[in-house]
Amino acid sequence: MAFLVNSCVKVGFVFGAVSPTTLSLQAEQDALRFPFPCPLTMCCSESIARDGRRETFFANELSLVKAVQIQETLPGGLKPELLPNHIAIILDGNRRWANERGFKELLPNHRNGGRVIKEIVFLCCKWRIKVVSIFAFSTENWVRPKQVDALMSLFEEVMQNDLQEFMGYNVQISFIGDKSKLPKSLQELIATVENSTRGNMGLHLMIAINYGGRYDVMQASRSIASKVKDGSLQVEDINETLFEKELETNCAEFPNPDLLIRTSGEQRISNFYLWQLAYTEVFFSVKKLPDFEEEDFIEVLISFQKRERRYGGN
Amino acid sequence: MENKIESYGSSLVSHMRRLLFRVLSVGPIPNHIAFILDGNRRYAKKRNLGEGMGHRVGFLTLTSLMKYCYELGVKYVTVYAFSIDNFKRRPEEVQDLMDLMLEKIEGLLKEESIVNQFGVRVYFIGNLRLLNAPVREAAEKVMKATANNNKSILLICVAYTSTDEITHAAQEAIEEKRGEIPESSEASMAQNGEISQEKHEGHRTIKLADIERHIYMGVAPDPDILVRTSGETRLSNFLLWQSSTCLLYSPKALWPEIGLRHLVWAVLNFQRVHPYLEKRRKQV
């Protein structure tokens, strides 16, 4: 049915019955649902581009319509222009939640947490957040061998079972961290997922596996050091902008989080991002990860919108 | 008569505070507390004080907090006095802050200052070349004058941002590594063949210790608690490298309103998480 409506809109445009705005909106919705652009949409887009004045007029109209559309999907109290571009989440409290309820099995506990994360990611897709990063596994988590095994199995399970769902939402998935220490099967799966989702233009999901803020700064320093050794860079040219480009988060359009959420009430960063958190607003939620619901997420976003970000200036 | 009552009163308060600190000392005491002094301007506006007065009141608060920390047994206190980002403010405000800093830095050298009272060694941390000459010279004078003190340490971050600190440390580490293996030893390696290629590369790779050796804040251990006043919960480019496992505490009070109760609350929270963090530290 949706395909039929879709095609009617496109045919309508060709015969002048449908405005470019409506067509572009349709194309937007297509982008959310289908990973590959439709040739008919591409032809229609080109005809819009040919008429420069019409393009500007309709582009402005389109942003206004888009803003209205996003506003309609946003819950009350949230303004689309004040939403963060990049949200980072530290997933904390799974084990404590399970211990409180007497659950002993590790894998089902983490699956529970995984479900919550998926819900948050799909909410972010709906509300047009551009980047979401999640701290799945730290460089310091290797000290818990049983949890390591459970988490590695969970990652493989999620990637095998849920990839189609992420593709449907047009999500691009990247993995940051030292992948060389992960099991070979997981490394291959990671490469497959990254390749399959590379062309997706929706939300960019960065999953931090075997990642640490200090690790990221170290690998950036080493990368710069090898460029200096090769002679392609002078030591005097090293500055903050250059350094930031070498960090693993540089693969995203918005590498630095605007908002960091940590569940379970603990008030520390635990070596998640480091450099990237320079001006990030931090929110500590008392809810443990499996209890973190949509209304808690909305509360965090409302709090974010009220914050005055001065960046050290006036 | 009034003076006598006042002096008895303040002596009583001081004794009660020392008693409170003795009770707190039953648990672990943080070794290093860092403060982001936020809210001075808002305080001045709230109280209808003149422009720049907020920072003066803020300085008085700083001396009180330092006193409480050193009495409690905290060895290191770090304060975020002036960020490189603060140079973006209005030139008049920046100049006022520089003048205030010069006045207060010179005041540290006086006999009756807190520095002499508690035997404090002072470090000025940051890209000091960005400061004007009088402030930089006064800072260097104070660092030299207090170099022999070792009871407590005060680290004042001026013209500081963490990203600048890390970039500078990486630059120094890279420069050091570049100069490490001279060309003659490369020739002898080619002849010898005993030193493996891997070892050679490993020796030249930058390690964590190399960065930490060149970082400005390397003179102190990582902070145990980072306090940011005025209710904002962000780091604002302060101690990003050092604060990965420390407790972040952000009371709603503006900096000049902060008091003993906030310090006590922060220490109690620290004592709650300390056993877990110690265990993790030993595992890693």
Side-chain angles (χ1 to χ4, degrees):
Chain A
M1 183 65 196
F3 178 74
L4 203 60
V5 167
N6 199 333
S7 310
C8 288
V9 166
K10 285 167 191 158
V11 168
F13 175 80
V14 171
F15 290 101
V18 168
S19 78
T21 313
T22 313
L23 177 76
S24 300
L25 276 175
Q26 192 66 57
E28 281 281 319
Q29 280 164 3
D30 287 352
L32 277 182
R33 276 197 226 97
F34 308 112
F36 304 106
C38 165
L40 187 56
T41 315
M42 280 160 67
C43 295
C44 297
S45 306
E46 275 171 26
S47 85
I48 296 172
R50 254 179 269 138
D51 191 339
R53 270 185 322 169
R54 273 174 71 213
E55 182 202 338
T56 316
F57 172 73
F58 285 118
N60 291 340
E61 214 185 75
L62 179 63
S63 337
L64 183 62
V65 174
K66 254 166 65 173
V68 169
Q69 234 198 359
I70 297 168
Q71 178 79 67
E72 280 166 4
T73 63
L74 279 179
L78 288 181
K79 298 180 186 131
E81 66 277 13
L82 293 178
L83 284 177
N85 286 319
H86 178 167
I87 300 180
I89 312 176
I90 298 180
L91 322 173
D92 198 14
N94 258 337
R95 281 183 310 146
R96 265 169 288 162
W97 186 90
N99 287 341
E100 277 167 15
R101 286 154 183 77
F103 300 149
K104 299 285 180 213
E105 292 288 326
L106 285 174
L107 194 51
N109 295 338
H110 287 297
R111 259 194 214 116
N112 220 353
R115 173 191 54 82
V116 169
I117 289 302
K118 264 189 0 191
E119 279 167 17
I120 294 179
V121 169
F122 295 145
L123 276 175
C124 291
C125 289
K126 209 165 81 169
W127 299 338
R128 307 299 176 98
I129 307 284
K130 312 278 192 323
V131 184
V132 170
S133 32
I134 58 178
F135 198 20
F137 191 86
S138 159
T139 44
E140 286 145 22
N141 284 149
W142 294 102
V143 295
R144 300 184 200 147
K146 284 190 199 152
Q147 197 185 18
V148 169
D149 292 336
L151 283 169
M152 295 297 158
S153 310
L154 179 68
F155 296 149
E156 291 197 24
E157 196 181 290
V158 166
M159 280 186 252
Q160 276 159 352
N161 299 342
D162 297 334
L163 180 59
Q164 282 313 311
E165 208 177 348
F166 282 113
M167 290 293 283
Y169 277 85
N170 210 16
V171 173
Q172 183 191 349
I173 306 181
S174 305
F175 291 86
I176 55 174
D178 187 5
K179 304 181 221 10
S180 62
K181 300 228 167 70
L182 301 173
K184 276 276 174 295
S185 54
L186 188 55
Q187 286 186 46
E188 284 163 15
L189 205 46
I190 282 172
T192 310
V193 169
E194 283 187 331
N195 288 332
S196 313
T197 59
R198 189 153 296 154
N200 293 349
M201 302 301 286
L203 178 118
H204 189 164
L205 175 63
M206 286 205 287
I207 303 180
I209 281 195
N210 197 25
Y211 179 88
R214 287 193 180 184
Y215 150 79
D216 205 359
V217 168
M218 291 307 306
Q219 71 79 27
S221 309
R222 285 179 188 148
S223 166
I224 293 174
S226 65
K227 287 189 177 154
V228 166
K229 183 181 156 211
D230 294 339
S232 53
L233 188 69
Q234 302 299 317
V235 176
E236 303 77 47
D237 297 334
I238 301 173
N239 58 27
E240 289 179 41
T241 315
L242 190 98
F243 205 95
E244 197 162 302
K245 289 202 169 79
E246 296 293 334
L247 295 170
E248 292 202 1
T249 40
N250 197 46
C251 60
E253 190 191 348
F254 298 94
N256 300 335
D258 297 292
L259 173 63
L260 169 70
I261 306 172
R262 182 179 181 138
T263 50
S264 92
E266 295 299 327
Q267 301 190 287
R268 54 184 183 266
I269 308 296
S270 296
N271 200 23
F272 183 14
Y273 286 136
L274 191 158
W275 179 287
Q276 297 86 340
L277 292 186
Y279 302 101
T280 305
E281 296 290 334
V282 184
F283 192 100
F284 297 111
S285 170
V286 294
K287 294 266 183 96
K288 298 189 179 62
L289 182 66
D291 293 330
F292 193 75
E293 317 235 303
E294 184 176 332
E295 62 227 18
D296 303 307
F297 188 45
I298 293 169
E299 188 198 324
V300 174
L301 291 176
I302 290 177
S303 161
F304 174 80
Q305 291 194 153
K306 290 190 181 133
R307 295 189 186 189
E308 195 195 327
R309 303 178 81 187
R310 295 182 295 274
Y311 301 94
N314 291 309
Chain B
M1 177 65 187
E2 272 177 13
N3 280 344
K4 265 195 181 166
I5 295 174
E6 220 177 276
S7 89
Y8 283 141
S10 67
S11 176
L12 180 65
V13 163
S14 173
H15 276 110
M16 284 183 66
R17 188 174 64 239
R18 286 207 185 90
L19 185 62
L20 173 63
F21 288 164
R22 282 248 179 94
V23 169
L24 274 181
S25 303
V26 169
I29 293 295
N31 192 30
H32 181 175
I33 303 183
F35 294 96
I36 299 181
L37 323 179
D38 196 15
N40 290 319
R41 292 184 298 174
R42 273 168 281 171
Y43 181 83
K45 221 173 174 181
K46 195 168 146 181
R47 297 286 161 131
N48 288 322
L49 304 172
E51 185 138 347
M53 285 309 294
H55 296 288
R56 286 186 179 272
V57 177
F59 182 77
L60 292 173
T61 311
L62 176 62
T63 45
S64 306
L65 256 301
M66 274 169 63
K67 199 166 77 164
Y68 298 152
C69 287
Y70 296 139
E71 275 179 14
L72 180 56
V74 176
K75 184 157 182 197
Y76 296 87
V77 171
T78 302
V79 296
Y80 199 11
F82 193 88
S83 162
I84 296 177
D85 293 326
N86 294 150
F87 281 116
K88 288 189 286 198
R89 293 184 180 180
R90 288 177 305 116
E92 306 82 45
E93 190 183 335
V94 174
Q95 191 53 49
D96 283 342
L97 282 167
M98 290 293 142
D99 293 340
L100 177 66
M101 267 202 292
L102 183 61
E103 184 190 316
K104 298 303 176 192
I105 292 173
E106 284 170 348
L108 288 176
L109 288 169
K110 291 197 182 118
E111 191 69 38
E112 64 278 11
S113 81
I114 190 170
V115 157
N116 290 323
Q117 203 185 344
F118 285 95
V120 182
R121 179 170 186 175
V122 182
Y123 287 98
F124 285 89
I125 306 280
N127 196 345
L128 302 185
R129 287 165 305 172
L130 296 175
L131 296 170
N132 62 38
V135 177
R136 192 172 56 248
E137 281 159 17
E140 276 158 13
K141 203 166 155 189
V142 168
M143 284 199 277
K144 205 167 161 185
T146 59
N148 292 326
N149 295 348
N150 55 11
K151 270 177 72 183
S152 317
I153 319 274
L154 173 66
L155 301 110
I156 305 177
C157 294
V158 284
Y160 173 92
T161 54
S162 216
T163 45
D164 176 75
E165 181 189 35
I166 295 170
T167 312
H168 170 263
Q171 226 175 355
E172 298 271 297
I174 291 169
E175 183 71 60
E176 189 186 59
K177 284 287 165 186
R178 203 170 64 148
E180 227 163 46
I181 299 182
E183 281 174 30
S184 57
S185 74
E186 281 187 23
S188 73
M189 254 185 65
Q191 282 173 1
N192 219 332
E194 276 176 20
I195 306 168
S196 71
Q197 183 65 24
E198 214 179 83
K199 215 169 157 184
H200 169 60
E201 288 298 333
H203 182 67
R204 291 181 104 180
T205 311
I206 298 199
K207 298 187 187 55
L208 205 69
D210 299 318
I211 299 271
E212 291 188 332
R213 204 171 33 250
H214 294 288
I215 213 155
Y216 294 140
M217 281 288 295
V219 292
D222 291 347
D224 297 299
I225 309 177
L226 201 160
V227 181
R228 185 192 180 124
T229 50
S230 85
E232 309 281 13
T233 33
R234 53 180 183 259
L235 296 171
S236 292
N237 217 336
F238 183 55
L239 302 187
L240 300 173
W241 179 270
Q242 297 83 351
S243 59
S244 84
T245 53
C246 86
L247 171 70
L248 303 175
Y249 173 53
S250 52
K252 290 207 164 42
L254 302 171
W255 172 254
E257 293 167 347
I258 200 171
L260 182 63
R261 67 189 187 286
H262 301 102
L263 179 67
V264 169
W265 186 244
V267 172
L268 286 172
N269 271 304
F270 165 79
Q271 290 181 339
R272 182 180 61 83
V273 297
H274 181 76
Y276 172 73
L277 290 178
E278 269 303 288
K279 198 172 91 173
R280 281 293 298 262
R281 216 164 275 153
K282 285 184 182 130
Q283 281 173 336
V284 172

